[in-house]
Amino acid sequence: MRGVLVSAAAVLVLAACSTDDVSDAGDDDSGSKDTEWFVQADFDRQNEQRSATFEGDAATPWLQYIDGDMTDTSKFKSEGAKKVCFANASISNPWRQTGWITMQQQLKVLQDEGVVSQMETRDAQDSDDTQIADIDYFIKEGNCDAFIISPNSTAAMTPAVERACETGKPVVVFDRGVDTDCATSFIHPIGGYAWGIDTAEFLVDNLEKGDKVVALRILPGVDVLETRWAAAEKIFEENDIEADDQFTDADPTKIKQIITDAINSDDIKGVWMDAGDGAVAAIEAFEDAGKDYPVMTGEDEMSFLRKWEETGLTGLAPVYSNFQWRTPLLAVQKIFAGEEVPTEWVLPQSPITEDDRADYLKANDGMPDGHYAKFGGEDLPGFPKAWQDR
């Protein structure tokens, strides 16, 4: 991974699915070898960032960032409402749907303030080819004052992002990244390694050496997911936790079958997930079999938080901070005001624990099960109805 947008601070991009083997790239002092999905330096940096001090007000985490290089945007300073062109990978899952609602509500605020005139959005529906065409359409159209891009994948989208940069307009990339450093700002939470460290350490702390864990993974070849598993696998191996990873396609029926097969053949003590979709199905498999609940990590999706509270299981809800969907438009506001913005805008990423779960359940009371607790839209004009009526 090269370039600021896939820097060592976080590898957060969706890569095309691949089963190609990649030879070892190097070793760290401890003998660990870098591979396609594990880079020791990135692991170490994100581990440190988990306890970093973030600049800004903790009450507005979508504006916080880790101190680092800043981009001078004085050349973009100008008056008047601006047209933003947003090339979105998709809204094909509850996490993205939650974020998209938040982004639209943030847009309304900036329109009312006269900062943004409109945001023309094109949805690639998880297709590289479609998103490339979307970005090229915006460029050819020629009336975008700024580009916001949430890339569908890494390598395939890089040339299109570079073409957007070549227009001379500000380009903000968020959520997932690309192999270029041309963007004005790249916005993302800490990263996949941080997720893997948070979750694996939680399981290690609550299990015994030799305990068996089922690791539920959505699909291979997606780097934000692969780095989550790479970090977790390293920690499991170092602590003698036997983890068997299985791909689920985020299908609740398949998840339930995988767990059922596992508990019928082994004494499963833990469940690890690289994303929380289907967490309830995994828990129900234990219930159906009459087994004790496992130690488990899910996500800050409301369905898991509610099931976690209901069952009393030992759990943790890692997050991939959904409030990041506010940040790109706020970055555009700063850019046209001529204010500096972080070149790599690393947002806070902290899991929900047993101690603060009740607070998030209360704050999100009435939200649908597919809602994400750390969405960060409580102060936006459509709260709570916009998120409830999806």
Side-chain angles (χ1 to χ4, degrees), residues 41-169:
D42 292 355
F43 176 97
D44 293 341
R45 186 171 291 105
Q46 289 190 24
N47 191 23
E48 292 174 2
Q49 289 177 332
R50 293 165 62 228
S51 57
T53 298
F54 285 81
E55 302 294 319
D57 186 351
T60 55
W62 47 88
L63 289 174
Q64 288 189 289
Y65 59 92
I66 294 176
D67 187 31
D69 293 340
M70 303 293 284
T71 300
D72 180 356
T73 68
S74 57
K75 66 180 179 180
F76 298 119
K77 184 177 182 178
S78 60
E79 301 293 330
K82 310 299 182 184
K83 178 181 177 179
V84 175
C85 296
F86 177 32
N88 189 16
S90 76
I91 50 171
S92 62
N93 60 60
W95 185 87
R96 301 190 71 81
Q97 292 157 14
T98 300
W100 172 233
I101 295 169
T102 305
M103 192 179 201
Q104 291 178 88
Q105 295 301 311
Q106 181 64 70
L107 173 64
K108 289 180 180 180
V109 172
L110 296 180
Q111 287 176 319
D112 290 344
E113 294 175 352
V115 175
V116 176
S117 58
Q118 68 175 113
M119 184 171 73
E120 183 177 352
T121 300
R122 298 180 76 85
D123 183 346
Q125 299 181 24
D126 299 308
S127 166
D128 286 340
D129 290 340
T130 299
Q131 191 169 45
I132 290 168
D134 289 344
I135 294 172
D136 286 338
Y137 165 82
F138 283 142
I139 294 170
K140 184 177 181 180
E141 188 181 36
N143 63 0
C144 301
D145 294 311
F147 296 90
I148 295 176
I149 302 171
S150 179
N152 189 60
S153 69
T154 311
M157 296 313 305
T158 297
V161 172
E162 290 176 330
R163 288 194 293 275
C165 292
E166 288 167 3
T167 67
K169 306 293 186 180

Side-chain angles (χ1 to χ4, degrees), residues 96-390:
R96 301 190 71 81
Q97 292 157 14
T98 300
W100 172 233
I101 295 169
T102 305
M103 192 179 201
Q104 291 178 88
Q105 295 301 311
Q106 181 64 70
L107 173 64
K108 289 180 180 180
V109 172
L110 296 180
Q111 287 176 319
D112 290 344
E113 294 175 352
V115 175
V116 176
S117 58
Q118 68 175 113
M119 184 171 73
E120 183 177 352
T121 300
R122 298 180 76 85
D123 183 346
Q125 299 181 24
D126 299 308
S127 166
D128 286 340
D129 290 340
T130 299
Q131 191 169 45
I132 290 168
D134 289 344
I135 294 172
D136 286 338
Y137 165 82
F138 283 142
I139 294 170
K140 184 177 181 180
E141 188 181 36
N143 63 0
C144 301
D145 294 311
F147 296 90
I148 295 176
I149 302 171
S150 179
N152 189 60
S153 69
T154 311
M157 296 313 305
T158 297
V161 172
E162 290 176 330
R163 288 194 293 275
C165 292
E166 288 167 3
T167 67
K169 306 293 186 180
V171 176
V172 175
V173 174
F174 83 102
D175 172 28
R176 309 161 180 172
V178 284
D179 290 331
T180 179
D181 59 2
C182 75
T184 311
S185 185
F186 173 39
I187 298 163
H188 60 86
I190 295 173
Y193 294 105
W195 172 298
I197 295 167
D198 286 338
T199 51
E201 287 188 347
F202 177 80
L203 285 164
V204 167
D205 289 345
N206 287 279
L207 296 174
E208 303 293 334
K209 289 183 182 296
D211 280 349
K212 293 180 171 60
V213 168
V214 176
L216 299 174
R217 306 173 60 192
I218 295 177
L219 75 167
V222 179
D223 61 0
V224 66
L225 303 175
E226 292 282 1
T227 53
R228 291 175 186 181
W229 170 239
E233 184 179 35
K234 170 185 171 66
I235 292 169
F236 289 147
E237 290 177 350
E238 291 175 347
N239 290 275
D240 297 325
I241 299 295
E242 296 184 28
D244 178 30
D245 65 308
Q246 301 283 337
F247 290 109
T248 69
D249 302 319
D251 179 353
T253 301
K254 190 171 183 179
I255 289 171
K256 186 172 283 191
Q257 188 60 56
I258 289 170
I259 295 294
T260 299
D261 291 343
I263 60 183
N264 284 338
S265 59
D266 283 305
D267 185 16
I268 303 300
K269 296 295 187 182
V271 173
W272 179 93
M273 303 186 76
D274 66 2
D277 289 357
V280 172
I283 297 169
E284 288 174 345
F286 282 85
E287 292 174 336
D288 293 346
K291 299 288 187 178
D292 291 340
Y293 290 116
V295 178
M296 184 172 181
T297 62
E299 197 171 0
D300 63 323
E301 189 182 41
M302 295 306 298
S303 61
F304 174 68
L305 297 183
R306 288 165 177 152
K307 190 69 173 178
W308 177 14
E309 181 186 50
E310 172 193 326
T311 60
L313 61 76
T314 301
L316 181 77
V319 304
Y320 186 49
S321 309
N322 194 265
F323 55 70
Q324 69 180 288
W325 286 75
R326 294 187 68 167
T327 314
L329 282 169
L330 294 169
V332 168
Q333 180 182 32
K334 289 179 177 293
I335 289 167
F336 284 117
E339 299 177 18
E340 287 186 330
V341 295
T343 304
E344 183 171 17
W345 194 322
V346 182
L347 296 163
Q349 177 183 321
S350 57
I352 294 175
T353 67
E354 174 80 27
D355 291 339
D356 53 15
R357 183 191 64 214
D359 293 337
Y360 284 99
L361 285 169
K362 181 179 180 181
N364 290 277
D365 185 41
M367 292 296 184
D369 280 345
H371 181 72
Y372 281 74
K374 288 200 174 186
F375 73 111
E378 293 88 347
D379 65 333
L380 291 172
F383 178 81
K385 190 173 176 57
W387 290 267
Q388 292 172 337
D389 294 344
R390 65 186 68 191

